C-alpha cells in the first residue's frame, strides 16, 4: 500500500477539522472558534479538496484516522495503581496550564512528579483540542531531545527542514500540550528546545518535570511537597500494603510513624509498603534503621525506581565535584542548618561560596528550604549522602568539625540565656545531641564542653529529665577530676529539681570522690556534707527507714578514709554548701548518727 501523502492544513483548518471530528455543526464550530458560519464553510470546502473526500462526515472520519482525537496526549503513561492525594497540587497545575505557557514541577527523586504530571495532563487534555504528547527523557541523551519529541508526536524530518521546525509546525496547528518528563540530566538541551518551541508556537504549552528549573524566561514553577504523614501518605501506604497483602493491618500510629520517617516521599512509601507483607508494621519500623537497604526491591519497568538508592544516585551523579563535597558534608546534620553551620563543616568555604553551593543543591532538589535562613535534607536523601561520606576519607575530619560547631553553638546559646534563645536552641537541639552522641569515646575538651553546655541549656529549657544525663556525660568526658566533680555536682542539683533524692545522693558521693582525686579536700568535705543534709531532709527518697543514714555515713567515711569528725575541719567547706546554720544542722546530724557506724 502506498504511503498517504501528508495533508498541509492551516492552524484554523486544523481547529475546524478537530471540531468536525466531534460531530459539531457549522454553527457550533463558529461559536467555539469565534468566527462566522461562512468562514467555517470556506474552511470545510478547503479541507474537502485537500483530503479528497466528498462530504463533511467522510472528512470527519478521515480526520480521525490521520490526526489524534481531540485532547489526546500521546505517550501518556497508563495508570496501574490508584492515584491518591495531591488535590491542591493538581488544582494549582491546572490553573497554571490555563494561563501560562511553561510550567515546571520541581522536587527530589521519588516525590511523585511524573505521576502528578501525568494526572494533571490527563485532566487538562480537554482544554487542548489538538492534544499533545508526554515524553519521558530519562533514556535520552542531550543531543536528542527533538528526536524523542518527534517520536512521541509521530512526525519525521523532511528534506530541507529541521526536525525542530517540523515539530513546531505540528504543534502550531492549535492549542497543544507537550510534557517533558525528567529533564534534570539534559537541562541545556531541554532549555534550548523549549525556548525555540515557545517562540515558534504561540499556542503550545509545555509542562516540565525535573529536580531543578530549566531556566527559560517565563517559567513558572510548582514545588511538589512530601505527602502529609497522617493523611495522604498513610492512605497511600495502606493502599499499596493491602495490594501486596490483602490481610495487612497496622495501627494508625505505626503507619503515621512509618510515613513520617520516610518524609512522606511517595516512592519510599510504596517500596516500604511492598515489604509490609513479609515484615508487618513493627518489622518495617525496625528495618527503617537502615532505610536505603529496606527500600530496595521490586521489578518495575523503570530500573532506577526499583530502589530509593538508585533514585538518589541519579541526582548525585549529575553534581559537580564541589557540589558533591558539600552534599556529603551536610549529611552530618540531623536537623536543619544555616549558612554559618554550612561554613563550619566545610573547610575554607566562605559565606558567598557556601550560599552559592547551597543554592545549587536546593535548585537540584537535594536540599529543601525549611524556614527563613534554614535548610534541611529529607531523611532518605541524607542517608544516601551519609553513605557517600562514610565511603570516603573525609568523614573523620567532617565529624570533628561538626562536633566543634556544636560545642561552639551551645556555648553561644549559654551566653544568651538572659535574652531570646529558646527558638534558636529548639532549632539546633537535635544536632547538639547527635554531635555529642557521635563524638569519639574518651575524655576530651570539645565533647566535654558540649555535654556541659547541653546540661545547662536543657535545664534552663525545663527539659528536667534530660539535663542530669548530659551533666553525667560531661563528667565521663571531663579532662580533669576537678571538672568532673563540678559536673557531677550540677547533675545532683538537676536531680534535686526532679525530687530524685537517691539519685542526687549518689551523684554527690561520686562528686566527692572526684574532688578527692583532684586533691581538693575542702570540695570533698563540702560535697559529703551536702549529701548528709540531702539524706536527712528527704528520707523518703531511700528504700528503707534509716537505711539512708547508715549508707550516707559508711560511704562518706569510705571515700574520705578518715574519721567523720574531719568533716567539721573547714569552715570554708560549709560556706560552699550554704549558710552557717547548715553547718550547725549537719554537725548535730553527724553526732546523732555516730553510734550507728
Amino acid at each position: 500500500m502506498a504511503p498517504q501523502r501528508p495533508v498541509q492544513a492551516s492552524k484554523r483548518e486544523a481547529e475546524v477539522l478537530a471540531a468536525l471530528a466531534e460531530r459539531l455543526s457549522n454553527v457550533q464550530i463558529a461559536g467555539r472558534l469565534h468566527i462566522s458560519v461562512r468562514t467555517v464553510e470556506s474552511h470545510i470546502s478547503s479541507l474537502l479538496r485537500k483530503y479528497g473526500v466528498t462530504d463533511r462526515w467522510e472528512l470527519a472520519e478521515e480526520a480521525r484516522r490521520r490526526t489524534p482525537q481531540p485532547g489526546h496526549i500521546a505517550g501518556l503513561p497508563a495508570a496501574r495503581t490508584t492515584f491518591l492525594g495531591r488535590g491542591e497540587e493538581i488544582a494549582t497545575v491546572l490553573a497554571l496550564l490555563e494561563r501560562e505557557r511553561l510550567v515546571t514541577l520541581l522536587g527530589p527523586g521519588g516525590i511523585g512528579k511524573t505521576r502528578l504530571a501525568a494526572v494533571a495532563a490527563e485532566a487538562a487534555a480537554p482544554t487542548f483540542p489538538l492534544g499533545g504528547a508526554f515524553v519521558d527523557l530519562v533514556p535520552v541523551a542531550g543531543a536528542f531531545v527533538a528526536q524523542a519529541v518527534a517520536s512521541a508526536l509521530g512526525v519525521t524530518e523532511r528534506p530541507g527542514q529541521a526536525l525542530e521546525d517540523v515539530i513546531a509546525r505540528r504543534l502550531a496547528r492549535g492549542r497543544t500540550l507537550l510534557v517533558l518528563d525528567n529533564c534534570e540530566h539534559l537541562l541545556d538541551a531541554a532549555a534550548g528546545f523549549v525556548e525555540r518551541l515557545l517562540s515558534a508556537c504561540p499556542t503550545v504549552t509545555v509542562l516540565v518535570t525535573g529536580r531543578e528549573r530549566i531556566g527559560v524566561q517565563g517559567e513558572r514553577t510548582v514545588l511538589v511537597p512530601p505527602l502529609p504523614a497522617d493523611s495522604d501518605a498513610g492512605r497511600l501506604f495502606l493502599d499499596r500494603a493491602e495490594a501486596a497483602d490483602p490481610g495487612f493491618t497496622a495501627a494508625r500510629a505505626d503507619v503515621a510513624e512509618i510515613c513520617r520517617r520516610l518524609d512522606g516521599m511517595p516512592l519510599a512509601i510504596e517500596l516500604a509498603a511492598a515489604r509490609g507483607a513479609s515484615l508487618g508494621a513493627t518489622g518495617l519500623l525496625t528495618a527503617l534503621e537502615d532505610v536505603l537497604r529496606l527500600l530496595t526491591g521490586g521489578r518495575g519497568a523503570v530500573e532506577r525506581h526499583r530502589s530509593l538508592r538508585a533514585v538518589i544516585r541519579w541526582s548525585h551523579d549529575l553534581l559537580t565535584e564541589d557540589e558533591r563535597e558539600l552534599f556529603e558534608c551536610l549529611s552530618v546534620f540531623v536537623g536543619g542548618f544555616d549558612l554559618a553551620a554550612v561554613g563550619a563543616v566545610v573547610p575554607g568555604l566562605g559565606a558567598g561560596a557556601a550560599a552559592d553551593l547551597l543554592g545549587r543543591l536546593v535548585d537540584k532538589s537535594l536540599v529543601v528550604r525549611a524556614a527563613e535562613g534554614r535548610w534541611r535534607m529529607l531523611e532518605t536523601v541524607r542517608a544516601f549522602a551519609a553513605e557517600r561520606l562514610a565511603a570516603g576519607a573525609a568523614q573523620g575530619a567532617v565529624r570533628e568539625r561538626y562536633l566543634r560547631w556544636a560545642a561552639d553553638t551551645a556555648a553561644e546559646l549559654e551566653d544568651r540565656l538572659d535574652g531570646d534563645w529558646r527558638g534558636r536552641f529548639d532549632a539546633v537541639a537535635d544536632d547538639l545531641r547527635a554531635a555529642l552522641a557521635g563524638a569519639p569515646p574518651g575524655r576530651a575538651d570539645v565533647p566535654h564542653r558540649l555535654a556541659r553546655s547541653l546540661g545547662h541549656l536543657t535545664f534552663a529549657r525545663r527539659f528536667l529529665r534530660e539535663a542530669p544525663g548530659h551533666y553525667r556525660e560531661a563528667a565521663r568526658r571531663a579532662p580533669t577530676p576537678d571538672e568532673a566533680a563540678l559536673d557531677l555536682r550540677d547533675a545532683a542539683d538537676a536531680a534535686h529539681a526532679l525530687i530524685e533524692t537517691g539519685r542526687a545522693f549518689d551523684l554527690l558521693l561520686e562528686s566527692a570522690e572526684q574532688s578527692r582525686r583532684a586533691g581538693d579536700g575542702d570540695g570533698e568535705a563540702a560535697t559529703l556534707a551536702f549529701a548528709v543534709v540531702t539524706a536527712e531532709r528527704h528520707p523518703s527518697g531511700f528504700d528503707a527507714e534509716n537505711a539512708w543514714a547508715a549508707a550516707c555515713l559508711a560511704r562518706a567515711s569510705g571515700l574520705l578514709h578518715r574519721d567523720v569528725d574531719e568533716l567539721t575541719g573547714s569552715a570554708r567547706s560549709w560556706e560552699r554548701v550554704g549558710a552557717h546554720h547548715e553547718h550547725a544542722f549537719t554537725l548535730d546530724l553527724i553526732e546523732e548518727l555516730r553510734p550507728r557506724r
Side-chain angles (χ1 to χ4, degrees):
M1 183 179 293
Q4 291 178 317
R5 179 174 59 84
V7 173
Q8 302 297 320
S10 69
K11 172 187 170 184
R12 183 63 79 189
E13 286 174 342
E15 292 175 337
V16 171
L17 191 63
L20 283 173
E22 295 182 59
R23 303 290 185 177
L24 298 183
S25 68
N26 289 358
V27 173
Q28 289 172 320
I29 295 173
R32 171 183 285 188
L33 300 180
H34 304 290
I35 57 178
S36 68
V37 174
R38 185 177 295 275
T39 301
V40 174
E41 292 171 348
S42 175
H43 286 309
I44 292 175
S45 296
S46 175
L47 289 167
L48 289 171
R49 289 193 305 271
K50 289 181 178 181
Y51 277 89
V53 295
T54 58
D55 61 54
R56 63 186 292 132
W57 306 121
E58 189 178 354
L59 179 63
E61 290 302 319
E62 188 70 16
R64 279 200 185 89
R65 290 197 303 108
R66 296 197 184 194
T67 61
Q69 292 295 316
H72 174 68
I73 308 296
L76 196 66
R80 290 180 290 178
T81 56
T82 307
F83 183 76
L84 298 169
R86 299 292 193 203
E88 183 177 343
E89 289 85 355
I90 290 175
T92 298
V93 174
L94 292 178
L96 288 174
L97 292 177
E98 281 286 334
R99 63 179 188 270
E100 305 291 343
R101 300 194 58 213
L102 175 58
V103 180
T104 299
L105 305 184
L106 292 177
I111 203 68
K113 301 182 296 297
T114 295
R115 188 73 186 272
L116 176 59
V119 171
E122 185 175 20
T127 66
F128 294 93
L130 294 186
F134 188 105
V135 186
D136 179 11
L137 295 178
V138 168
V140 178
F144 300 103
V145 174
Q147 284 85 341
V149 174
S151 297
L153 290 171
V155 300
T156 57
E157 284 185 272
R158 299 173 184 174
Q161 191 173 29
L163 184 58
E164 287 84 351
D165 293 334
V166 177
I167 294 170
R169 187 176 180 87
R170 159 68 175 83
L171 295 175
R173 289 162 50 187
R175 182 166 161 76
T176 51
L177 175 65
L178 179 63
V179 183
L180 299 179
D181 189 34
N182 297 299
C183 288
E184 54 271 349
H185 62 301
L186 33 72
L187 286 174
D188 290 340
F193 175 82
V194 168
E195 191 159 27
R196 182 173 179 176
L197 183 65
L198 292 176
S199 298
C201 305
T203 58
V204 71
T205 297
V206 181
L207 176 61
V208 171
T209 77
R211 304 181 192 188
E212 60 181 304
R213 301 172 68 251
I214 63 171
V216 172
Q217 187 175 10
E219 180 179 18
R220 292 294 302 272
T221 59
V222 177
L223 295 176
V224 182
L227 294 172
D230 57 351
S231 56
D232 291 341
R235 290 171 56 213
L236 176 64
F237 176 85
L238 288 174
D239 181 82
R240 303 304 192 257
E242 289 167 2
D245 175 12
F248 180 87
T249 59
R252 181 175 179 178
D254 288 342
V255 172
E257 177 63 12
I258 290 169
C259 294
R260 185 193 66 78
R261 290 171 64 175
L262 294 174
D263 294 309
M265 184 180 289
L267 176 61
I269 290 169
E270 294 202 16
L271 290 170
R275 305 291 297 275
S278 58
L279 294 175
T282 303
L284 282 175
L285 285 168
T286 302
L288 280 173
E289 297 300 324
D290 188 350
V291 64
L292 295 180
R293 179 185 295 274
L294 171 69
L295 303 184
T296 301
R299 296 180 177 83
V302 183
E303 183 176 355
R304 66 191 179 90
H305 281 182
R306 296 177 190 173
S307 79
L308 196 60
R309 183 182 281 106
V311 171
I312 302 170
R313 185 184 297 115
W314 170 267
S315 293
H316 175 267
D317 291 347
L318 298 174
L319 299 178
T320 62
E321 185 175 349
D322 54 351
E323 290 169 349
R324 288 183 188 181
E325 180 183 8
L326 179 59
F327 174 70
E328 293 168 11
C329 289
L330 293 180
S331 68
V332 296
F333 292 103
V334 300
F337 45 83
D338 56 17
L339 280 175
V342 173
V345 299
V346 183
L349 193 63
D356 174 56
L357 280 175
L358 183 61
R360 284 193 246 163
L361 292 180
V362 173
D363 289 342
K364 297 174 190 295
S365 301
L366 289 170
V367 172
V368 296
R369 187 179 174 193
E372 182 62 35
R374 292 191 64 78
W375 296 264
R376 72 181 184 94
M377 280 180 162
L378 297 179
E379 184 56 32
T380 46
V381 175
R382 191 180 79 85
F384 178 87
E387 275 190 354
R388 303 293 303 181
L389 181 64
Q395 183 182 33
V398 173
R399 288 211 158 272
E400 183 179 348
R401 290 191 291 270
Y402 174 60
L403 178 62
R404 189 170 296 277
W405 164 82
D408 292 344
T409 299
E412 290 172 11
L413 286 169
E414 281 188 285
D415 291 339
R416 299 181 187 178
L417 287 179
D418 291 335
D420 184 13
W421 64 278
R422 287 176 177 79
R424 167 70 172 154
F425 171 75
D426 290 346
V428 300
D430 287 339
D431 272 292
L432 301 185
R433 297 177 183 118
L436 180 60
R443 299 182 181 276
D445 177 65
V446 176
H448 173 252
R449 286 196 296 116
L450 175 56
R452 181 162 183 78
S453 294
L454 262 176
H456 191 185
L457 291 167
T458 52
F459 189 84
R461 189 65 178 83
R462 310 311 290 169
F463 296 155
L464 299 182
R465 296 201 173 278
E466 182 180 352
H470 292 309
Y471 281 124
R472 191 74 182 80
E473 180 66 13
R476 283 193 288 268
R477 294 182 173 276
T480 62
D482 57 332
E483 290 175 302
L486 181 60
D487 296 330
L488 290 164
R489 177 65 182 271
D490 287 337
D493 289 343
H496 268 296
L498 293 169
I499 318 178
E500 293 183 351
T501 307
R503 184 181 181 187
F505 179 79
D506 289 340
L507 288 166
L508 287 168
L509 295 185
E510 288 185 56
S511 176
E513 170 64 10
Q514 291 296 325
S515 292
R516 185 189 67 78
R517 292 180 181 178
D520 180 7
D522 287 349
E524 180 185 17
T527 304
L528 284 168
F530 190 30
V532 173
V533 174
T534 295
E536 168 64 14
R537 285 183 170 177
H538 304 285
S540 61
F542 297 87
D543 294 337
E545 187 178 358
N546 290 330
W548 59 269
C552 175
L553 289 177
R555 294 184 66 176
S557 178
L559 287 170
L560 284 169
H561 297 296
R562 59 180 183 259
D563 191 271
V564 75
D565 287 338
E566 296 182 42
L567 282 170
T568 63
S570 171
R572 285 178 298 165
S573 299
W574 302 113
E575 290 169 0
R576 288 169 61 173
V577 297
H580 288 288
H581 72 274
E582 296 281 17
H583 174 198
F585 174 84
T586 307
L587 286 178
D588 292 343
L589 174 63
I590 292 171
E591 288 301 322
E592 178 185 344
L593 297 175
R594 183 190 300 277
R596 303 183 189 178
R597 298 179 58 212

